[in-house]
Amino acid sequence: MAVSVAPVARFYRTSVGKKAIMAVTGAIGVLFLIGHIWGNLHVFEGSEKFNSYAKFLRVVGAPVFASSQLLWLVRIVLLVSVVLHITCAVQLYQQSRAARSVQYRVHKNPGATWASRTMRIGGVIILLFIIIHLANLTWGWLHPSFVEGDVYHNVVALFSLWYVTLFYVISMLAVGFHLDHGVWSMFQTLGFRTSRNNIVLRGVALIFAVVFVIASCAVPVAVLVGIIS
Amino acid sequence: MQGQTKPAVAEPGLMRMTLHVWRQKNRQSEGRMVTYTADQISPDMSFLEMLDVVNEELVAKGEEPIAFESDCREGICGSCGMMINGIAHGPKKETTACQLHMRSFRDGDEITIEPWRARAFPIIKDLVVDRSSFDRIIQAGGYITAPTGGAPDANAIPVPKPDADFAFEAAACIGCGACVAQCPNASAMLFTAAKVAHLAVLPQGQPERYARVARMVDQMEVELFGNCTNHGECSAVCPKGIPLDMIGLLNRDYRKARVTGDRRGDDTP
Amino acid sequence: MTVEIAPRAPATGTELWNVSPDNSMLDAKDPGGPIESRWDRHKFEMKLVNPANKRRYTILVVGSGLAGASAAASLGELGYQVECFCFQDSPRRAHSIAAQGGINAAKNYRNDGDSVYRLFYDTVKGGDFRSREANVYRLAQVSVNIIDQCVAQGVPFAREYGGLLDNRSFGGAQVSRTFYARGQTGQQLLIGAYQALCRQIDLGNVRMFPRTEMLDLVVIDGAARGIVTRDLVTGEVSSHVGDAVVLASGGYGNVYFLSTNAKGSNVTAAWRAHKRGALMANPCFTQIHPTCIPVSGDYQSKLTLMSESLRNDGRIWVPVRAGDTRPPNQIPKEERDYYLERKYPSFGNLVPRDVASRNAKDVCDEGRGVGPGGLGVYLDFADAIKRLGKHTIAERYGNLFDMYQRITAENPYEVPMRIYPAIHYVMGGLWVDYELQSTIPGLFVLGEANYSDHGANRLGASALMQGLADGYFVIPYTIGNYLANMRAGAYDLGNVAFRETENEIAQRTQRLLAIKGDRTVDSFHRELGKLMWDDCGMARTDASLRRALARIPELRAEFWQNVNVPGDGAELNQSLERAGRVADFLELAELMCIDALHRTESCGAHFREESQTPDGEALRDDEHFSYVAAWEYTGVGNPPTLHKEPLEFEYVHPTQRSYK
Ligand SMILES: Cc1cc2nc3c(=O)[nH]c(=O)nc-3n(C[C@H](O)[C@H](O)[C@H](O)COP(=O)(O)OP(=O)(O)OC[C@H]3O[C@@H](n4cnc5c(N)ncnc54)[C@H](O)[C@@H]3O)c2cc1C
Ligand code: HEM
Ligand code: HEM
Ligand code: SF4
Ligand code: F3S
Ligand code: FES
């Protein structure tokens, strides 16, 4: 089957196409976050269970996949998604900025939500967060006492520092807002939202965002207040 | 600057307000805000009649009147349009500037009036902008090819009522450009989507359905409109209340046209 | 009051107009023969332009309303090179967009006895026997194709649950033949035509010139060869040459300043063509719509129409006693006068437009009008709400009620609406023959701009039908018959006539700008409008018309000495645009009054108080006035020359209309 790349290239060239790519890559991110936060909650089960979960992630897929192969596959998908997501975001931002060169003296925002209006700045915060986060818990560069392989230790040691936990909580709020608009927006961008299911989708997005913020903050906060140690 | 969002109050007697209006001689020159006083304003006047009164005074004083567009003054031709205190067509929902009445304001209000601002809508003079980019989007494919004379009997193809009603809801767009003006991204998605949706749900529109959306979106890009990030401000100010569903439909059809290969009628290389 | 009608006016009035010396009758080129097959036979007999040659002909279409857009698109499809002009920023905004109610077609989808013949009959009768049978029959015939064409273009007409088209009865018709798209029929039809036009623009067959105003017609060797336009943004005056010119520039109801027409509607294109030799027919035939929102103050810029369908459920009344200022709900039933129901027991509130309008004026003249200034009557839904429930009324008229409330801040569910008649449509216009050609060869006139198929009164929902019939189904044939006789591109812009006309236009513009007097353009327009409404409006008398004829030249003279047009001509200048239009209205108004004065009969919307039946209805004088009055221009202020097209009624025989 000969697949022509031309239509896809044309698709990408327009803002509607780029936006669809953002939605798909955003959806991949959402799926990742569901898994990631769910996984993180294993921390509450204690050091052993959590560390073996971390190990499990590296061996999963055997024997079809060699050690860490599946993990790398996921990482690549994530990396490509993030890069596409960000590239589209930046290009679309430039397009919109150019589309209104002179600003209004007075401009109100009827109909828009605070979440929708902070997508871009929220995105930048998330990007910074991801870099710092990786530097903390994956590469260990910023970590006070990084131990390769002892994820439980890394987590507990890190979040014992109040300013780190504070930073995480703030970042999670940013992600929460991004998701509140993003999850709803995704459906609209992919053409699945209608006036009839709008209420449901708005609700799903809001609940998802709130649950996400609570679940993700649970770990750092629990460490800080000593539930996990 | 608060009064305009409060509920209408029909105050007896006349009002006086301060207007800050964008004045710009022509496309090339720089514009600026100029302050005027609108005196003896009756709450029963329409917003444009208020401007008429101000203009008559300006002319009497030997100054040039404020240029703004209007034709039908019934909310249907889409000629009028201006940002009134930061909202396209002003504070009243589903109401064009020509149908907005001064009873939506209060004595002593300050009103800021600016033209639509978008690169795709260059200013011609004062509050008058060039919206021909909309025409070019339609020219790019916003039609059904139905040459005069060849049509079958009008009742030959029944159209389910819900589809007909949906098509009508989309077709109610008056091409005023408020959606672009209000959108923080200056995107023309609501306008384009309304036309795409109108023709996409009718049986008559099927043969060119995907080619149409592809061409219209391409033209929208050429005209240098912004992109849609689903803010929904467009729909909130649209005088015909065109819902965001139209944008969803455009997104879906565009994806089908370009990716899943439903390229019926698409003859672009 | 009965008044004897003698043919006295033509005798006493000759100082105000001349009758064409040889008294030659205008030839409508009606092909004759059985009316059912007349158009088909004529279509066959007309000459065709070879398809390969069509490309070489250029046709200039002025106007992008229903008539202009449908013509430009159809001619483009045929292969002609078309140039289309409109003064709005987009062809989609032409005044046709405002039509609400619907469009008639003799589809007989209801099985209620409609037919082409019945539509033809109703239109001739509704026009009070002042239209040309052959044209009206053709109109009824092609009405059927219009609906097919529009549906194919995607016009979202109202439908029933089975998916078939819905109809309603409109304007007192006894059959349901009106197709509609909620309250936006005009916009939906126009968008259909506009989209067809856009397709031709994209294909390169039509060049569109928006924001371009036609300011003159160029006639060379006795035929229309081009137009001179002003670019409304740059002020540039330029010429366009064509093998034929199609005028579809709409109606001139705005001569009255306050009307339901769009603010920009004007007579300029038609008037300049008239001054170049095209005859103007029945200019005084003006339709007044009975259900408009009354004037609320001096600042009023236009009047808003409320759909006539409101009369189906609303009851019209005024207080019995003059000067009764109690709020409506405090006036007991016995002290209300439901005057239409009283005077016309069988039609009641549904009498035709002219009758309803005149009666409203009469009760207001008696001092029984309601609302500010006493110019209004109640249209009351209280009984209908009691009978059908608020819900049903909201379903039927919700949009209209909202619109009314938006404008007046009164809630019509609780307080009766106030309505008053307003100028709405002009039946008069440039005279055309069966092929829609004016008296200038090569100048075709379509839509409201022509002396139309509506005689002295237009039925509801038939202007849209006529505009589209002319544009889609008549002009594509008849223009070929004209072009086939001539060489394509015989004239070019090098012709000196273009330079001369351009110079005249430039000079006129300069003159307007140079006056810099004390009065604004609008002040003149308002004064003219008031004068026309008072003296040449719903009811006219010899005295009122003579009064107007004395005042108009004075006002015109003052205009040219004292108008203030700020700014200059080299940019967008809305005052200048308006000034040019008002200048033309000031000339047209005089002709309208002369026409009204000369026609001493009443017919349709033209009501001469001297000519009425014992119970106050319009009384025609078929013996003396069964003709179309077509006027020839002889210079500003000079008596125009009257030409007559006699009207013969082979099929529908004139009777006195009665709605008792
Ligand atoms: C409020 C309202 C409601 C109505 N409702 C109905 C209804 O329900 N049913 C019905 O049948 N009829 C209705 N009518 C009447 C009907 O709408 C009009 O008669 C009809 O639309 C006229 O169409 P047109 O194409 O002849 O002219 P228009 O639509 O008036 O178009 C005129 C065109 O000519 C152009 N033009 C004019 N002068 C110049 C110039 N000098 N240079 C360049 N371009 C020029 C304009 O730009 C415009 O494009 C209604 C009218 C009004 C006012
Ligand atoms: C991994 C974390 C991220 C997730 C899960 C995520 C998710 C999403 C989702 C679901 C959307 C909605 C797409 C749509 O409207 O259809 C979205 C939009 C957006 N994202 Fe992200 N995103 C993430 C990271 C980022 C980052 C790092 C940035 C910026 C640098 C960013 C910038 C944006 C922007 C600007 C939008 C709005 C785009 C638009 O609606 O057109 N996001 N994101
Ligand atoms: C407060 C909540 C969070 C906690 C406690 C947390 C914890 C962790 C931990 C412990 C790791 C290391 C896992 C390992 O090495 O096996 C990790 C990796 C990672 N986290 Fe988080 N995380 C949180 C939120 C986020 C968010 C919001 C994002 C994305 C926006 C994110 C993205 C990542 C990524 C991309 C990795 C690297 C995965 C890999 O190894 O490929 N995390 N996180
Ligand atoms: S979608 Fe609404 S706001 Fe946009 S042009 Fe159409 S009517 Fe105006
Ligand atoms: S406001 Fe703008 S971002 Fe999209 S939903 Fe409307 S076009
Ligand atoms: S003037 Fe026509 S919509 Fe306002």
Side-chain angles (χ1 to χ4, degrees):
Chain A
M1 191 176 70
V3 179
S4 158
V5 290
V8 178
R10 271 207 305 261
F11 180 72
Y12 183 79
R13 267 211 305 275
T14 63
S15 65
V16 181
K18 287 197 190 81
K19 190 65 198 304
I21 291 169
M22 287 202 71
V24 171
T25 53
I28 292 171
V30 168
L31 291 178
F32 165 77
L33 282 182
I34 294 174
H36 187 49
I37 299 307
W38 181 252
N40 287 343
L41 292 177
H42 286 70
V43 163
F44 287 98
E45 295 173 340
S47 145
E48 234 158 83
K49 282 249 173 91
F50 188 57
N51 277 346
S52 63
Y53 164 73
K55 202 164 272 142
F56 159 79
L57 290 178
R58 285 163 174 79
V59 299
V60 69
V64 181
F65 293 96
S67 173
S68 293
Q69 255 189 5
L70 198 58
L71 181 66
W72 272 106
L73 199 69
V74 172
R75 281 175 174 165
I76 289 166
V77 170
L78 281 178
L79 191 68
V80 170
S81 295
V82 169
V83 169
L84 276 175
H85 193 82
I86 293 173
T87 313
C88 289
V90 170
Q91 289 182 344
L92 289 175
Y93 167 66
Q94 288 169 334
Q95 180 181 350
S96 313
R97 231 181 52 148
R100 177 166 297 132
S101 36
V102 183
Q103 298 300 315
Y104 289 111
R105 301 299 163 98
V106 184
H107 188 245
K108 302 210 175 103
N109 305 89
T113 61
W114 198 74
S116 79
R117 294 199 287 126
T118 51
M119 286 305 271
R120 285 168 182 153
I121 182 71
V124 174
I125 295 174
I126 299 169
L127 180 64
L128 290 177
F129 164 80
I130 293 176
I131 294 168
I132 293 170
H133 181 54
L134 292 176
N136 269 326
L137 287 168
T138 305
W139 306 319
W141 301 340
L142 294 178
H143 199 281
S145 58
F146 191 70
V147 180
E148 180 86 50
D150 189 351
V151 187
Y152 188 84
H153 160 79
N154 292 342
V155 168
V156 174
L158 187 69
F159 294 129
S160 309
L161 304 168
W162 67 269
Y163 52 87
V164 174
T165 297
L166 182 67
F167 168 74
Y168 265 70
V169 169
I170 292 171
S171 303
M172 289 312 103
L173 284 172
V175 179
F177 276 110
H178 200 78
L179 291 173
D180 176 34
H181 179 70
V183 169
W184 170 85
S185 175
M186 211 159 69
F187 287 99
Q188 169 73 348
T189 301
L190 297 176
F192 300 120
R193 191 209 68 98
T194 62
S195 293
R196 279 215 239 134
N197 66 20
N198 186 46
I199 290 272
V200 176
L201 292 181
R202 283 274 184 208
V204 165
L206 180 66
I207 291 168
F208 181 81
V210 170
V211 169
F212 167 83
V213 172
I214 294 170
S216 61
C217 290
V219 175
V221 171
V223 170
L224 190 66
V225 301
I227 298 174
I228 300 171
S229 58
Chain B
M1 301 280 283
Q2 286 300 310
Q4 74 285 346
T5 47
K6 297 211 175 110
V9 276
E11 287 172 350
L14 303 176
M15 308 183 287
R16 168 201 285 249
M17 13 207 87
T18 308
L19 311 182
H20 305 286
V21 186
W22 183 260
R23 300 300 308 261
Q24 179 171 339
K25 196 166 160 48
N26 54 38
R27 197 177 281 215
Q28 290 76 35
S29 62
E30 289 217 348
R32 65 201 175 94
M33 299 298 290
V34 179
T35 302
Y36 301 98
T37 307
D39 219 342
Q40 307 284 321
I41 299 305
S42 152
D44 290 329
M45 277 181 193
S46 73
F47 197 82
L48 302 190
E49 284 169 344
M50 181 275 290
L51 288 179
D52 287 343
V53 169
V54 172
N55 275 345
E56 288 284 291
E57 278 166 25
L58 286 179
V59 175
K61 280 192 283 185
E63 290 177 44
E64 273 214 51
I66 303 161
F68 64 90
E69 270 182 293
S70 79
D71 202 15
C72 73
R73 297 211 175 183
E74 280 188 17
I76 191 70
C77 72
S79 294
C80 67
M82 50 194 82
M83 294 299 276
I84 302 172
N85 283 339
I87 300 179
H89 289 304
K92 210 160 155 68
K93 251 186 107 67
E94 298 195 11
T95 303
T96 51
C98 59
Q99 289 279 285
L100 177 67
H101 280 69
M102 294 313 289
R103 62 183 82 91
S104 293
F105 299 85
R106 290 189 171 181
D107 191 25
D109 273 357
E110 301 216 9
I111 307 175
T112 302
I113 308 173
E114 293 177 81
W116 290 167
R117 290 199 187 281
R119 193 157 130 203
F121 287 172
I123 294 176
I124 291 176
K125 183 174 187 168
D126 299 343
L127 306 173
V128 178
V129 301
D130 177 355
R131 287 168 290 198
S132 52
S133 44
F134 270 10
D135 289 314
R136 289 188 293 273
I137 290 178
I138 303 296
Q139 285 158 23
Y143 47 74
I144 289 172
T145 300
T148 309
D153 184 86
N155 260 347
I157 309 169
V159 181
K161 188 167 162 58
D163 291 355
D165 287 348
F166 184 84
F168 180 88
E169 200 179 356
C173 165
I174 58 175
C176 62
C179 43
V180 174
Q182 188 70 38
C183 175
N185 302 316
S187 164
M189 274 292 262
L190 193 64
F191 167 80
T192 309
K195 183 48 57 194
V196 165
H198 162 206
L199 301 176
V201 298
L202 293 172
Q204 290 82 3
Q206 295 313 308
E208 295 161 298
R209 176 169 182 174
Y210 297 100
R212 177 183 309 120
V213 64
R215 293 204 192 113
M216 289 177 76
V217 168
D218 286 353
Q219 187 64 33
M220 197 171 81
E221 301 289 307
V222 171
E223 300 293 346
L224 302 175
F225 285 103
N227 71 292
C228 173
T229 55
N230 299 332
H231 282 301
E233 291 187 28
C234 50
S235 180
V237 300
C238 171
K240 296 293 148 185
I242 308 275
L244 294 178
D245 301 27
M246 308 302 163
I247 297 184
L249 189 146
L250 178 147
N251 284 331
R252 195 167 61 226
D253 274 15
Y254 185 72
R255 192 182 69 236
K256 286 191 187 159
R258 285 292 188 233
V259 181
T260 35
D262 206 336
R263 300 183 56 218
R264 254 180 279 170
D266 186 358
D267 53 7
T268 49
Chain C
M1 176 178 61
T2 23
V3 177
E4 187 206 354
I5 311 134
R8 89 191 112 80
T12 57
T14 36
E15 78 275 13
L16 288 167
W17 67 87
N18 306 314
V19 178
S20 104
D22 50 354
N23 207 8
S24 67
M25 294 292 184
L26 277 170
D27 180 10
K29 303 217 189 80
D30 180 345
I35 201 150
E36 292 81 4
S37 54
R38 203 175 288 183
W39 174 234
D40 286 333
R41 216 191 58 238
H42 192 63
K43 275 200 287 192
F44 177 72
E45 284 165 2
M46 282 187 289
K47 295 200 196 70
L48 297 175
V49 178
N50 178 330
N53 279 341
K54 287 205 177 93
R55 205 162 23 84
R56 304 217 205 116
Y57 290 94
T58 301
I59 301 172
L60 308 179
V61 178
V62 181
S64 64
L66 285 180
S70 58
S74 304
L75 294 170
E77 283 162 9
L78 284 172
Y80 296 111
Q81 290 296 316
V82 178
E83 294 183 9
C84 182
F85 305 82
C86 72
F87 65 76
Q88 289 92 347
D89 69 325
S90 161
R92 71 175 286 152
R93 300 198 209 284
H95 162 62
S96 295
I97 203 141
Q100 306 170 349
I103 176 168
N104 287 334
K107 279 286 196 185
N108 193 28
Y109 283 159
R110 300 290 100 178
N111 197 28
D112 57 0
D114 198 12
S115 62
V116 167
Y117 198 89
R118 187 178 295 280
L119 177 53
F120 157 66
Y121 176 91
D122 288 352
T123 307
V124 173
K125 178 171 173 236
D128 217 4
F129 305 94
R130 291 294 173 263
S131 51
R132 190 189 298 147
E133 277 190 337
N135 284 48
V136 178
Y137 194 88
R138 174 179 63 193
L139 174 64
Q141 236 174 341
V142 302
S143 70
V144 176
N145 308 79
I146 294 173
I147 303 302
D148 299 344
Q149 182 61 32
C150 295
V151 166
Q153 290 167 343
V155 171
F157 284 121
R159 288 181 184 265
E160 299 183 315
Y161 281 98
L164 302 182
L165 292 163
D166 194 11
N167 288 119
R168 62 181 172 202
S169 77
F170 199 75
Q174 283 162 314
V175 290
S176 277
R177 61 159 79 99
T178 305
F179 294 79
Y180 65 102
R182 290 201 207 157
Q184 296 189 357
T185 316
Q187 130 127 326
Q188 296 310 328
L189 294 173
L190 183 60
I191 296 292
Y194 159 77
Q195 286 171 188
L197 177 65
C198 281
R199 182 167 160 261
Q200 294 307 311
I201 295 171
D202 192 39
L203 291 171
N205 298 333
V206 177
R207 272 187 75 197
M208 187 69 218
F209 294 85
R211 292 195 196 273
T212 306
E213 184 164 38
M214 164 182 165
L215 290 181
D216 217 333
L217 180 75
V218 179
V219 178
I220 308 174
D221 298 339
R225 310 289 183 189
I227 62 173
V228 171
T229 60
R230 177 169 179 272
D231 179 320
L232 299 181
V233 177
T234 63
E236 193 194 346
V237 172
S238 55
S239 297
H240 300 262
V241 63
D243 297 291
V245 177
V246 175
L247 269 196
S249 50
Y252 51 78
N254 277 349
V255 65
Y256 291 87
F257 188 77
L258 288 180
S259 83
T260 63
N261 289 9
K263 288 293 285 174
S265 295
N266 67 89
V267 76
T268 293
W271 190 252
R272 308 282 168 100
H274 173 61
K275 290 172 91 164
R276 295 280 169 195
L279 303 189
M280 188 68 136
N282 298 341
C284 80
F285 286 178
T286 310
Q287 180 166 72
I288 291 154
H289 197 289
T291 52
C292 302
I293 300 178
V295 173
S296 70
D298 314 328
Y299 48 78
Q300 190 92 21
S301 60
K302 76 154 285 178
L303 295 170
T304 304
L305 178 125
M306 302 294 293
S307 167
E308 221 167 351
S309 60
L310 290 169
R311 287 199 278 147
N312 289 335
D313 286 307
R315 296 181 69 196
I316 294 176
W317 64 275
V318 288
V320 171
R321 188 159 52 78
D324 189 342
T325 52
R326 285 174 292 175
N329 40 16
Q330 283 173 25
I331 302 181
K333 275 255 146 70
E334 355 21 290
E335 291 176 49
R336 299 177 176 187
D337 179 11
Y338 294 88
Y339 56 90
L340 289 179
E341 297 171 24
R342 174 170 57 79
K343 287 170 74 176
Y344 309 95
S346 68
F347 274 72
N349 294 300
L350 292 173
V351 290
R353 289 177 177 177
D354 51 337
V355 180
S357 297
R358 245 173 348 249
N359 276 282
K361 178 183 187 309
D362 288 348
V363 294
C364 292
D365 288 349
E366 292 162 16
R368 300 197 285 146
V370 299
L375 291 178
V377 299
Y378 290 126
L379 178 61
D380 196 342
F381 289 86
D383 293 332
I385 291 173
K386 217 177 285 163
R387 181 164 39 93
L388 303 164
K390 187 173 164 181
H391 180 72
T392 311
I393 294 298
E395 227 171 37
R396 286 190 193 162
Y397 311 111
N399 291 352
L400 294 167
F401 279 32
D402 291 350
M403 177 159 92
Y404 181 84
Q405 188 161 14
R406 207 176 295 144
I407 293 174
T408 63
E410 289 175 2
N411 179 354
Y413 293 102
E414 281 153 22
V415 191
M417 278 185 182
R418 286 175 296 110
I419 54 161
Y420 199 65
I423 299 291
H424 179 53
Y425 179 88
V426 291
M427 281 73 69
L430 293 176
W431 184 88
V432 289
D433 63 16
Y434 187 64
E435 299 193 346
L436 302 183
Q437 187 162 213
S438 71
T439 46
I440 300 176
L443 177 69
F444 293 80
V445 190
L446 321 183
E448 192 173 339
N450 71 18
Y451 138 71
S452 58
D453 304 345
H454 310 293
N457 177 50
R458 177 176 69 81
L459 293 179
S462 51
L464 302 182
M465 166 173 77
Q466 181 225 336
L468 289 179
D470 290 357
Y472 283 134
F473 297 111
V474 180
I475 193 73
Y477 295 93
T478 60
I479 210 165
N481 199 28
Y482 171 75
L483 294 174
N485 288 325
M486 61 179 290
R487 191 162 57 82
Y491 293 81
D492 60 38
L493 287 175
N495 194 297
V496 60
F498 286 103
R499 285 303 82 63
E500 282 170 10
T501 318
E502 281 175 25
N503 285 340
E504 283 170 37
I505 293 303
Q507 274 166 20
R508 186 182 147 102
T509 307
Q510 279 318 312
R511 220 181 123 197
L512 281 170
L513 287 165
I515 303 168
K516 297 279 188 276
D518 296 330
R519 284 183 66 180
T520 62
V521 176
D522 268 15
S523 80
F524 282 101
H525 196 174
R526 278 180 199 275
E527 185 174 344
L528 175 70
K530 171 132 193 354
L531 184 158
M532 289 296 284
W533 174 252
D534 290 342
D535 292 342
C536 188
M538 251 186 293
R540 298 125 183 220
T541 64
D542 187 87
S544 75
L545 292 164
R546 287 182 192 278
R547 189 164 58 227
L549 283 168
R551 178 66 188 129
I552 293 167
E554 292 170 12
L555 190 61
R556 194 167 54 221
E558 193 194 340
F559 175 86
W560 282 102
Q561 276 153 21
N562 199 22
V563 73
N564 180 4
V565 183
D568 61 61
E571 57 180 35
L572 181 75
N573 186 337
Q574 295 174 321
S575 307
L576 178 63
E577 292 165 29
R578 266 178 249 160
R581 292 171 191 165
V582 172
D584 291 332
F585 282 140
L586 282 162
E587 293 176 16
L588 163 78
E590 194 168 19
L591 184 65
M592 290 173 72
C593 292
I594 289 176
D595 184 44
L597 183 66
H598 115 280
R599 196 174 279 274
T600 52
E601 66 162 355
S602 295
C603 58
H606 169 63
F607 191 73
R608 282 290 299 260
E609 285 184 11
E610 300 91 337
S611 177
Q612 42 184 310
T613 63
D615 13 68
E617 303 303 336
L619 180 65
R620 280 198 326 269
D621 174 7
D622 290 335
E623 192 191 332
H624 297 103
F625 289 103
S626 187
Y627 62 80
V628 176
W631 299 92
E632 182 187 338
Y633 179 78
T634 56
V636 186
N638 292 349
T641 303
L642 174 65
H643 299 255
K644 296 177 184 175
E645 177 200 338
L647 292 171
E648 271 137 41
F649 295 90
E650 277 179 76
Y651 293 86
V652 189
H653 298 292
T655 51
Q656 170 70 35
R657 293 191 311 166
S658 168
Y659 297 95
K660 287 281 158 192

